[in-house]
């Protein structure tokens, strides 16, 4: 599970999400999970939670997606 504090460019982040091989799941505060790739509402929830500076948790189902997502997060933080 990855914890995300800030996403500097939501459109760019969502491009990376759509390029992932497996599912990219957003873990909501109530314990439920939404697939960011397939659920349009989940992307809207992500934007809403991010706008109130809530720490976000995502998980990836395919290990091949870890490196591209981590690279994106590191380059966005720089």
């Amino acid at each position: 599970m990855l914890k995300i504090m800030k996403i500097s460019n939501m459109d760019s982040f969502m491009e990376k999400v759509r390029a992932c091989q497996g599912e990219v799941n957003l873990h909501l505060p109530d314990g439920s999970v939404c697939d960011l790739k397939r659920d349009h509402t989940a992307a809207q929830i992500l934007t809403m939670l991010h706008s109130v500076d809530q720490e976000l948790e995502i998980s990836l189902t395919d290990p091949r997606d870890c490196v591209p997502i981590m690279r994106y997060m590191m380059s966005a933080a720089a």
Side-chain angles (χ1 to χ4, degrees):
M1 189 159 338
L2 301 169
K3 292 186 183 219
I4 301 172
M5 300 301 292
K6 183 168 173 91
I7 300 172
S8 58
N9 184 325
M10 190 63 71
D11 291 333
S12 179
F13 176 73
M14 288 307 294
E15 283 179 27
K16 293 294 182 190
V17 166
R18 286 188 291 275
C20 286
Q21 301 295 313
E23 295 175 5
V24 180
N25 295 310
L26 172 65
H27 298 261
L28 300 174
D30 68 358
S32 61
V33 178
C34 300
D35 182 354
L36 286 173
K37 285 180 68 175
R38 293 182 181 87
D39 186 350
H40 179 68
T41 304
Q44 292 176 329
I45 292 170
L46 173 70
T47 302
M48 182 183 68
L49 290 174
H50 187 259
S51 69
V52 295
D53 290 329
Q54 175 134 0
E55 181 179 90
L56 305 171
E57 293 185 355
I58 63 169
S59 60
L60 307 169
T61 61
D62 191 318
R64 295 175 291 179
D65 297 327
C66 291
V67 171
I69 292 293
M70 293 302 288
R71 278 190 187 140
Y72 169 79
M73 297 309 295
M74 290 178 3
S75 67

